[in-house]
Amino acid sequence: MIRLILALLPALLFLILTLPLSFAIWLIQKWKPGAGDQLQLRMVQWIFKVMLWISGVKATVIGEENVPKDQAVLYIINHRSYFDILLTYSRCPRLTGYIAKKEIGRVPLLALWMRRLHCLFLDRKDIKEGLKTILAAIDYVKSGISIAIFPEGSRGRSADETELLPFHEGSFKIALKSGCPIIPVSINHSSAIMEDHMPWIKAAHVVLEYGAPIYPEQLSREEKKFLGKQVQAIIQDTLKKNQHMIVQKGN
């Protein structure tokens, strides 16, 4: 419980203490467009790294060089833990918005910061609203902001972390319509941080791997039709490949 409190305390303090900075960030944006976005990105990345350090998370990162630094991308990530967001966002090289479920958009302060960071809130039960979110994400990518999405729609809870929920094909329209590269991201063992023993946080070793970029314009019509299944297979194979690393370095 002590580790849980210590890990959450920096986030709580950050949300409260940065409220007075809102006007200053707004002024920075007016003076130099984009600078405020970069400032907010680095601030949140720093606090996420602090939370991971307090939680005792050790990460082995593979293939980070696969992420293009000069253009927006679509990150496709498997999802087992709330810590998946901390693990991946803390390493984003450029502005990146995450697509989250609409319920999170009702959480005070947290939702405010998420919107500042170009996050979008998806209502999976309302097709019309869901389409609006995807279209907004496409516009973000075209403007140079990367998008990260968990295409399973919710956290996987199977005892076997290589068993993934079906990927929603609609997630991939962001890349197909914008032409941005897709980066498959696999995360092993993140549920060991908290979800396997809620509400306790325990030190854990995770493996984070960025796959080779997939460029939509290089795909055939048939490949585009079943893109979700193909990316799911890539992530699933990577999860299986990296499981032995957890056995060797696990806590």
Side-chain angles (χ1 to χ4, degrees):
M1 182 61 73
I2 293 177
R3 192 188 291 269
L4 173 64
I5 295 172
L6 290 176
L8 294 179
L9 185 59
L12 181 60
L13 291 174
F14 177 85
L15 291 173
I16 296 172
L17 297 178
T18 54
L19 275 176
L21 291 176
S22 298
F23 182 65
I25 293 173
W26 179 80
L27 286 177
I28 293 173
Q29 286 281 56
K30 287 292 184 180
W31 171 62
K32 190 175 181 181
D37 281 338
Q38 287 294 329
L39 175 61
Q40 292 178 116
L41 169 67
R42 302 311 174 195
M43 287 169 61
V44 174
Q45 287 183 324
W46 179 80
I47 204 68
F48 279 1
K49 289 175 182 177
V50 170
M51 293 173 68
L52 290 168
W53 178 75
I54 292 174
S55 301
V57 177
K58 304 294 184 184
T60 296
V61 182
I62 304 169
E64 201 163 14
E65 68 278 1
N66 286 323
V67 182
K69 306 299 189 295
D70 58 349
Q71 66 179 125
V73 304
L74 174 65
Y75 295 99
I76 297 293
I77 314 168
N78 69 297
H79 195 25
R80 297 276 297 182
S81 171
Y82 291 117
F83 276 82
D84 295 336
I85 300 169
L86 279 67
L87 286 161
T88 53
Y89 190 81
S90 61
R91 310 193 73 89
C92 291
R94 56 188 298 126
L95 294 178
T96 303
Y98 279 58
I99 294 183
K101 58 184 180 181
K102 69 170 186 176
E103 289 76 13
I104 298 178
R106 300 170 185 154
V107 181
L109 293 184
L110 176 60
L112 173 64
W113 261 100
M114 289 181 70
R115 290 189 176 94
R116 285 178 175 174
L117 297 170
H118 308 288
C119 292
L120 297 166
F121 301 98
L122 178 64
D123 185 350
R124 296 190 183 277
K125 296 180 181 179
D126 189 322
I127 297 177
K128 186 176 180 179
E129 290 301 313
L131 179 59
K132 288 181 180 179
T133 302
I134 296 300
L135 291 174
I138 293 170
D139 288 340
Y140 273 1
V141 171
K142 288 181 177 179
S143 69
I145 300 169
S146 294
I147 291 292
I149 191 167
F150 302 106
E152 293 171 274
S154 62
R155 288 182 291 113
R157 293 175 172 81
S158 171
D160 181 358
E161 69 176 359
T162 66
E163 291 183 9
L164 304 178
L165 297 172
F167 280 19
H168 294 278
E169 291 287 345
S171 306
F172 296 87
K173 292 186 182 298
I174 299 169
L176 293 173
K177 296 297 184 181
S178 68
C180 76
I182 297 167
I183 305 295
V185 183
S186 64
I187 307 175
N188 285 81
H189 209 227
S190 60
S191 62
I193 304 170
M194 183 173 69
E195 280 71 15
D196 290 349
H197 36 72
M198 290 275 278
W200 316 108
I201 290 179
K202 296 184 179 181
H205 169 242
V206 302
V207 178
L208 173 62
E209 179 163 348
Y210 297 87
I214 300 169
Y215 294 92
E217 70 272 12
Q218 297 176 1
L219 302 177
S220 67
R221 181 178 297 181
E222 190 70 12
E223 288 173 324
K224 290 178 181 179
K225 186 176 180 181
F226 299 103
L227 186 54
K229 291 182 179 179
Q230 292 179 47
V231 177
Q232 182 176 18
I234 290 171
I235 292 177
Q236 197 164 37
D237 288 345
T238 305
L239 290 171
K240 292 177 180 177
K241 172 180 73 71
N242 291 338
Q243 276 190 316
H244 77 282
M245 300 178 68
I246 297 297
V247 173
Q248 292 175 356
K249 300 181 70 172
N251 292 283

